Amino acid sequence: SNVNTGNLDEYSKALKEGIAHAKGTNFPGQGKTIYLFSHSTDSPLNFSRYNAIFYLLGKLEKEDRIYVYFLDHKYIYKVSQKIITQASDTSWLEDSGQGERLILQTCYPPGTSMKRLLVIAIPVY
């Protein structure tokens, strides 16, 4: 949690462990933007090498469910949209004031760092 997305050493270390939570964003149940990011890869040979937790992220579709476990509580979200954006686009890190939303991010296309795939999901109550 609270990984500085502007610090290469910090987020590289966090990504080796799995999924990182962007510093300055919120946590499930707080009613605001939650931003999680992790590696993807283009080859099954690299799944474990890069701890590519989000290697299947691109397969999520609108209305699919995402389950997040945080502090012994299960939160359920449904995918509302998928976006491919420039790697330099950090506007998604900011809270939009639209209420709680979960943003999952990985590199796109998998195995590159050219762009970013974002999966945006909203809570299911």
Side-chain angles (χ1 to χ4, degrees):
S1 64
N2 293 318
V3 174
N4 183 346
T5 59
N7 182 319
L8 177 62
D9 291 336
E10 186 175 332
Y11 73 73
S12 292
K13 180 181 176 189
L15 291 176
K16 286 179 183 175
E17 296 178 26
I19 299 172
H21 165 264
K23 183 177 185 176
T25 69
N26 294 275
F27 294 97
Q30 292 183 326
K32 296 183 178 183
T33 299
I34 305 133
Y35 202 100
L36 305 175
F37 58 104
S38 187
H39 280 306
S40 63
T41 184
D42 58 347
S43 169
L45 299 173
N46 290 325
F47 292 166
S48 62
R49 180 179 177 194
Y50 295 109
N51 205 3
I53 304 295
F54 282 176
Y55 72 95
L56 294 175
L57 192 65
K59 295 196 180 284
L60 286 173
E61 297 296 337
K62 193 170 185 174
E63 302 296 321
D64 283 349
R65 298 290 197 253
I66 298 170
Y67 299 88
V68 176
Y69 293 87
F70 178 69
L71 297 177
D72 296 325
H73 189 274
K74 178 170 77 172
Y75 297 86
I76 304 171
Y77 299 87
K78 70 177 177 179
V79 175
S80 60
Q81 59 184 316
K82 285 182 6 182
I83 297 166
I84 296 170
T85 189
Q86 297 300 316
S88 60
D89 182 5
T90 60
S91 64
W92 294 94
L93 288 166
E94 300 168 13
D95 187 69
S96 66
Q98 298 174 5
E100 187 159 326
R101 64 185 181 150
L102 172 66
I103 300 177
L104 306 178
Q105 177 207 292
T106 196
C107 294
Y108 185 86
T112 74
S113 60
M114 296 170 17
K115 294 188 177 192
R116 299 295 181 262
L117 167 65
L118 303 175
V119 172
I120 293 117
I122 57 174
V124 174
Y125 297 104

